[in-house]
Amino acid sequence: MSASNFKGKVVALSGGVGGAKLAQGLAQCLAPEQLLIVANTGDDFEHLGLTISPDLDSVMYALAGINDSQRGWGLAGESWQAMAALERLRGETWFRLGDRDLATHLQRSQLLRQGRSLTEATAALCRALGIGPQLIPMSDDPVRTLVATAAGELAFQHYFVREQCEPAVTGFRFDGIERSTPNPLWLQWLADPELAAVIICPSNPFVSVDPMLQLPGVRQALRDCPAPLIAVSPIVAGAAIKGPAAKMMAELKLPCSAHSVAEHYGELLDGFVLDEADAELIPSIASDSLAVTAAASVMRDADSKRALAQRVLDFATALA
Ligand code: FO1
């Protein structure tokens, strides 16, 4: 499975779709014990009595090779009988849970009700799906992303799915974050002398990555960690590959470019990977403390995921 000779361990921070794709590529390049994937749980919510963890689901399904790559979320070959029956009963169907996907949420919710942590529940689901690398939630404590809009504050999935990202955003809040503890396994990996890279996947900086970075103690742990911290831009040629990142930037009055992404992460970064289409931005982003490289970052298939992962790992080796 592992064709790369990359030495050391890698922590990857991931949101949903874009992050899951790079995580898949990294899983191709590294041995399972070399890779820890930390997923955002700010998108999580309780719905129909179930605990839904969309970013954990996206990464888990991608690593198991059972995700629907067209739709971008959920399982391939899905059916929707339960949603049709729920609609008939006049239940809430704005958030669509496929019949097979429903099994994930039932099992996760059952494990949590039995007293398991989200980390333990995720490990159990990953084990059952035959996933090699460790996938963990950013925290076992509930953190809920709230989106401030002209129309008032919205829970993340209400903004994202129910309102289709239409309301203009003015800011974000991560409810519960100051009372939450980062996943201890994540901090353990950051302190591991064998750690060779921390990679921020091409996920939305505001709603997928910021909840992870704003957990108490995480920024300091990242600063203290000697391995290079590298972010991959989710913005290519002024547009988001998927999702509302570009729309959010415009609404927050930020220039919509890879430059804004690098600036957003600021001094935390040692390396920044932007798309070849944005190579002309390199001189304006690079500095004495920030190395910047261009790569083919649009991941359309298994080969491009693996190739980007390998480029990021080579970049980490060069920066070490
Ligand atoms: N996204 C949608 O646009 N519509 C849905 O009905 C929907 C259902 C859904 C169910 C389970 C799951 O794990 C994810 C789901 N998503 C859906 C994706 C999710 O809302 C977002 O992609 C993430 O929260 C953003 O990263």
Side-chain angles (χ1 to χ4, degrees):
M1 165 71 92
S2 154
S4 160
N5 46 17
F6 185 81
K7 298 268 179 301
K9 294 181 172 180
V10 174
V11 169
L13 310 185
S14 176
V17 187
K21 286 183 182 178
L22 186 56
Q24 265 182 302
L26 290 166
Q28 292 294 306
C29 296
L30 298 164
E33 60 279 7
Q34 282 180 289
L35 178 60
L36 178 75
I37 302 153
V38 183
N40 167 47
T41 53
D43 295 11
D44 290 19
F45 75 136
E46 285 64 41
H47 184 61
L48 303 172
L50 303 171
T51 301
I52 318 285
S53 296
D55 288 352
L56 281 170
D57 291 340
S58 293
V59 179
M60 190 168 72
Y61 293 160
L63 291 175
I66 54 176
N67 59 307
D68 187 308
S69 50
Q70 288 306 109
R71 203 184 320 112
W73 52 269
L75 288 160
E78 188 59 279
S79 58
W80 305 93
Q81 300 285 339
M83 281 295 104
L86 187 61
E87 187 161 26
R88 195 166 171 199
L89 298 173
R90 316 247 191 284
E92 267 188 76
T93 55
W94 59 270
F95 194 80
R96 295 165 60 216
L97 298 172
D99 298 333
R100 296 177 200 184
D101 183 38
L102 207 41
T104 300
H105 312 303
L106 287 168
Q107 180 65 356
R108 174 188 294 119
S109 304
Q110 169 80 341
L111 291 168
L112 293 173
R113 257 193 311 274
Q114 288 170 347
R116 312 273 193 98
S117 66
L118 186 56
T119 300
E120 289 167 339
T122 304
L125 295 172
C126 287
R127 224 177 5 255
L129 292 174
I131 292 167
Q134 273 193 90
L135 166 66
I136 60 170
M138 65 182 195
S139 174
D140 279 324
D141 303 315
V143 175
R144 298 292 178 259
T145 297
L146 299 172
V147 184
T149 76
E153 198 170 56
L154 293 170
F156 182 77
Q157 297 299 342
H158 286 176
Y159 160 79
F160 192 89
V161 176
R162 201 188 63 194
E163 306 297 326
Q164 299 284 294
C165 306
E166 263 167 29
V169 304
T170 54
F172 309 97
R173 194 160 68 83
F174 307 118
D175 191 42
I177 200 155
E178 58 300 322
R179 296 184 298 279
S180 62
T181 309
N183 198 310
L185 200 62
W186 178 15
L187 298 181
Q188 211 176 299
W189 274 60
L190 291 182
D192 189 330
E194 284 185 39
L195 186 71
V198 180
I199 298 167
I200 300 182
C201 290
S203 296
N204 186 310
F206 310 106
V207 291
S208 300
V209 181
D210 271 2
M212 295 189 261
L213 298 182
Q214 290 188 24
L215 285 163
V218 164
R219 278 182 171 273
Q220 196 52 50
L222 290 170
R223 278 189 203 105
D224 293 347
C225 134
L229 175 59
I230 297 169
V232 181
S233 177
I235 300 289
V236 173
I241 294 169
K242 195 166 189 342
K247 181 175 179 284
M248 286 174 174
M249 280 181 170
E251 290 161 356
L252 296 170
K253 316 264 183 284
L254 294 168
C256 183
S257 73
H259 198 292
S260 297
V261 178
E263 235 166 39
H264 184 79
Y265 295 132
E267 45 82 36
L268 276 183
L269 294 186
D270 301 298
F272 188 62
V273 180
L274 44 62
D275 192 76
E276 283 162 349
D278 292 320
E280 81 275 5
L281 296 176
I282 293 178
S284 67
I285 300 175
S287 69
D288 288 348
S289 54
L290 180 62
V292 185
T293 192
S297 72
V298 182
M299 295 171 280
R300 292 202 173 84
D301 51 25
D303 285 348
S304 51
K305 289 171 195 167
R306 187 197 178 96
L308 178 62
Q310 192 56 57
R311 279 297 306 275
V312 177
L313 295 173
D314 292 344
F315 190 39
T317 305
L319 288 179

